[in-house]
Amino acid sequence: MATKSVEKYSSLEIIKMSLRNNIRQYTMFIALIGIMLIFSLLSGVFFTPRNLSTLFLQTAHIAILASGVVLVIVAGHIDLSIGAVVGLTGAIAAILQAHYGLGVLPAIIITLAVGALIGLWQGYWVAYRDVPAFIVTLAGMMIFNGLLLGVTRGETIATSSMFNKLGQDYIPTLFFINSPKDMLPHDTTIIFLVFVIVAYLWYELKRRKERITYGFDILPIKLFALKIALVISLITAVFLIMALYLGIPYSIVILMVIGSLYTFITTKTTFGRHVYAIGGNKEAAKLSGINIRQRTLWIFISSGILGAIGGIIYTARVGSAAASAGQGMELDVIAAAIIGGTSTLGGQGTIVGAIIGALVMTTLNNGMLLLDVGTTERLIVRGLVLLLAVWIDISSRKRDA
Amino acid sequence: MSNYVLEMENIIKDFPGVRALNNVNFKVRKGEIHALVGENGAGKSTLMKVLSGVYPYGTYEGKILIDGKEQNFENIKDSEAAGIGIIYQELALVKEMNIAENIYLGSEFSTFGIINWDKAISKTTGLLNEVGLTENPYTKVVHLGIGKQQLVEIAKALSKNVNILIFDEPTAALNEDDSENLLHIIRKLKDQGISCIYISHKLKEVKEIADTITILRDGETIETYSNGENVTVDKIITGMVGRELTQLYPRKEHTAGEVVLEVKNWTVYNPEIPDKKIIDGVSFTAKKGEILGIAGLMGAGRTELMMSLFGAYGVKKLGEFYIDSEKADIKGPRDAIEKGFCYLSEDRKKNGLVLMMDIKENITLASLDKISNIRGINENEEIKITNHYVNALTIKTPSIEQKTKNLSGGNQQKVVISKWLMAAPKILILDEPTRGIDVGAKYEIYNIMNDLIDKGVSIIMISSELPEILGISDRILVMHEGKLTAELDWKEASQEKIMHFATGGR
């Protein structure tokens, strides 16, 4: 094979093929843009940097938790205890600081360790005792809700302003203070943006060079440029929205790190590949020498740790821990993952999809709130959207077969 | 009035991009056994789906006549009403229900939704009698062997008063005894005036049972002739593949090298019935550069023997085995694979492939460590290795990113074989490596096996097809009820001899 670009196909054909192969991801993305457009038309406030930044803030913990649950669902399990874990770990983080006088960092480290322990506990029952995850995490939900009530004694515990920054505040500016009114962009965010774009360009170019060395087909240069331009404008749009308000929130930085890490885990690591194989065909995975029990244990430990991160961010955003915190959150998280294309049967799902799914859910909520839609209708609409998303997914899969 | 119960005339069925059936003509007389043969993808299943209403009227061109009357089936119910029954390759019974419940599932005798079980049971007893089963109608299907389950399927079809019964690879999963019995039942049905359409890859069976044979190739009817003296298996094969196969098995002389696997007194207890030995004191050796064939009937314990050595079956195991004269302590498949001991499972869809993953992901699944480092899986290496196997084993696919569920059986099998080749086996166990794949792909798989032998791999092949065992192995072990009953050199082995030992002869 020579180092030629794909001349077998015209550019149009390549675009068509790519669309067809990734139709699921694109559909959800287009749906998200569509929903945003509709809200922009209906409400003048929706498409402002201020509202969109708030929307991102509201999405952060759901998207982080959804990244973790993707692994769980892909492996063919479920985690119903997410909400309870968020509540419990959030309360632990608050109590460690309020009652035991621990600093923010030690409190966070201990909370993460508790999350890992919770995951170890649930993973042990699922992986080594063969109890279905549905039951283990349903039991977990009750147990952790009980513990939450026990540690908070029903009181609301306020968290320190330092800690709350994680959920509410933005990364500081370097050179000059901006304010949303003067439309001056937030400098650190712009620096961050440039850094991300450079990293992305470096990655794409390196990949292309490697493919040439291997003698594989590469995209024609025009398409390659088009693809890069599209991705960069998307990244820029997202960053500009935040730069024009108060900058990037800490929670979004955490989401970016976790989103990238989990995308790496699911697409580039042996562990990730094994998770998809276990969910796709457990028996084949076992006979291929995959240690299913150990992998399952780690999936739940990951879910527990992300639960704790979600708990920390959520508590910081609310500014206090309460016995009712996190209730029902697992449903939002699971819905986000599934709207984002994670198959309920296991074996399929992406992190990016789950993050988009989380955005869809919060956008609907946020937009309808702006339009003064009541809680009743909001719940109904979101339920219907979940139903619709899964239906579209299933019917498109049938067309595939 | 024609003397055909079924006439399918000029059937054309298009799928996006492919014409699956092109002017197929297929006519069945009353009370005959009509075999339909052809390679995988020749259009047999598609034709039967057209006939049974799975593809409704209007989605195909051509005419279907039953007793001379044109039929427009909208669904399976319509075709059932016209007297067509179908016994699928994969049995469609509800395991946790009893025989009577299964037979009348969907057509219960009921008044206002309340089922008259007494009537169902008494009718069931009659039907079971017809198919030669003495089981109690209350027996749960899960407790029946696969052969008996098939008979229940037939009884179910009979309960619907069929005139035409379609068998799609009915003996694929059956042992010789059960197959023999099934053929007997089919002949009996024929005597009662039921026309049977018999789809099978097992040409010997076809030759034995069919009155008429129709060959399909690439969606076209090649020929239809009555089965007689002048019809030979070779002739059928020639029609199927369109080329003369001088020999069906590419036998090559191998010289066996040193012993790589030595099993001593291997005993495995049944995980479900703790005091039953499923493997009983088996000892054997496998040598470098030879194909060791393992013959036996279904339930002889061949798969269990290999899976237990591989670390994927059994809890209580006694005895020991040595790989390269070193005592093997294998706790699970991972340990086995690391020692170069690989097992290709008998059911590729259920145990071999992750169907929703693509070709490259399946091939690298057991050896991801070889292509990954701290920076993760090297995708370029993955593509390179996959391309290598796709070329070496001639896997036919538009792209290595094709999901394996979209491949034909033969190509799927080559993907699973590639997976194990990548793991660099010293000992490769192939459990029914050519089951359910067409003649051409079978031949290619035998060639791959011969190549591996040349490279010094030791191959252990489990097969239920005696000609295959005889045609390709260098040495043959025969098993019966968990015990090894014979070891034969291929030169001294014959079907009769193997069958003798496989049925417990001494």
Side-chain angles (χ1 to χ4, degrees), chain B residues 16-233:
Chain B
V18 257
R19 172 154 289 192
L21 297 176
N22 189 13
N23 271 316
V24 171
N25 288 294
F26 182 63
K27 294 177 183 180
V28 180
R29 287 193 184 82
K30 187 169 170 57
E32 72 164 352
I33 299 173
H34 194 135
L36 186 59
V37 297
E39 284 191 297
N40 282 353
K44 295 164 297 184
S45 301
T46 313
L47 188 65
M48 290 304 110
K49 281 180 181 165
V50 167
L51 176 58
S52 58
V54 173
Y55 299 134
Y57 176 72
T59 61
Y60 58 88
E61 290 170 45
K63 270 199 279 189
I64 300 176
L65 304 168
I66 288 184
D67 292 327
K69 270 178 278 178
E70 192 167 347
Q71 306 285 332
N72 304 329
F73 300 138
E74 292 294 337
N75 50 44
I76 300 176
K77 275 265 174 232
D78 287 354
S79 70
E80 273 178 3
I84 297 171
I86 184 158
I87 311 290
Y88 286 105
Q89 196 171 350
E90 274 103 27
L91 299 175
L93 296 172
V94 183
K95 294 254 154 75
E96 285 302 325
M97 286 189 175
N98 69 36
I99 297 177
E101 285 169 326
N102 264 293
I103 287 183
Y104 287 104
L105 188 63
S107 49
E108 295 86 356
F109 301 111
S110 62
T111 356
F112 302 118
I114 297 159
I115 299 173
N116 182 348
W117 281 118
D118 291 341
K119 189 172 173 194
I121 295 289
S122 88
K123 288 263 185 190
T124 302
T125 315
L127 289 168
L128 291 185
N129 206 10
E130 266 186 71
V131 296
L133 269 181
T134 51
E135 253 67 18
N136 185 321
Y138 288 109
T139 314
K140 275 191 182 177
V141 164
V142 68
H143 299 306
L144 300 177
I146 190 121
K148 287 182 176 171
Q149 289 187 21
Q150 194 132 41
L151 296 177
V152 172
E153 279 268 8
I154 296 172
K156 183 175 176 176
L158 293 180
S159 78
K160 292 174 183 159
N161 298 319
V162 291
N163 301 320
I164 302 167
L165 197 49
I166 305 164
F167 292 88
D168 189 358
E169 294 280 353
T171 58
L174 301 190
N175 62 30
E176 298 273 335
D177 274 352
D178 286 344
S179 303
E180 214 34 68
N181 186 32
L182 180 75
L183 298 188
H184 172 72
I185 298 287
I186 294 177
R187 284 198 192 95
K188 224 174 96 185
L189 294 175
K190 170 193 159 178
D191 293 341
Q192 291 167 16
I194 294 176
S195 309
C196 298
I197 299 172
Y198 192 85
I199 301 176
S200 180
H201 282 304
K202 295 187 183 170
L203 300 183
K204 243 193 75 199
E205 262 172 32
V206 167
K207 179 78 188 88
E208 195 183 314
I209 195 170
D211 298 310
T212 314
I213 300 172
T214 291
I215 300 175
L216 284 186
R217 180 169 80 223
D218 303 330
E220 288 177 35
T221 332
I222 298 303
E223 42 188 339
T224 298
Y225 39 68
S226 27
N227 190 9
E229 293 278 306
N230 58 333
V231 179
T232 61
V233 170

Side-chain angles (χ1 to χ4, degrees), chain A residues 1 9 21 203 206-207 210-211 214 216 264 267-271 273-274 276-281 283-291 343 345-348 397 400-401, chain B residues 307 310 312 333-334 337 343 345 349-354 356-357 360-361 364-366 368-369 372 374-384 387 403 405-406 419-420:
Chain A
M1 255 183 282
Y9 305 105
N21 289 338
Y203 171 77
K206 190 181 129 242
R207 226 177 103 96
E210 275 176 3
R211 287 187 67 95
Y214 272 91
F216 299 153
F264 176 76
T267 59
K268 295 277 281 177
T269 66
T270 309
F271 172 72
R273 194 66 71 77
H274 287 176
Y276 283 81
I278 292 169
N281 185 344
E283 206 51 38
K286 178 181 139 193
L287 293 178
S288 296
I290 294 171
N291 188 338
S343 162
L345 301 173
Q348 277 170 324
R397 229 170 278 203
D400 279 3
Chain B
M307 290 254 281
F310 185 62
R334 182 81 260 157
I337 295 165
Y343 169 78
S345 57
K349 282 192 184 162
K350 210 166 129 233
N351 303 332
L353 291 166
V354 185
M356 57 179 90
M357 280 187 163
K360 71 177 157 52
E361 288 168 328
T364 55
L365 191 59
L368 281 171
D369 289 343
S372 46
I374 189 80
R375 286 159 58 211
I377 298 166
N378 185 333
E379 284 166 4
N380 293 320
E381 280 299 320
E382 186 171 35
I383 295 170
K384 189 174 144 189
N387 278 335
K403 298 244 157 75
K405 68 173 178 204
N406 298 329
K419 170 168 84 180
W420 292 120

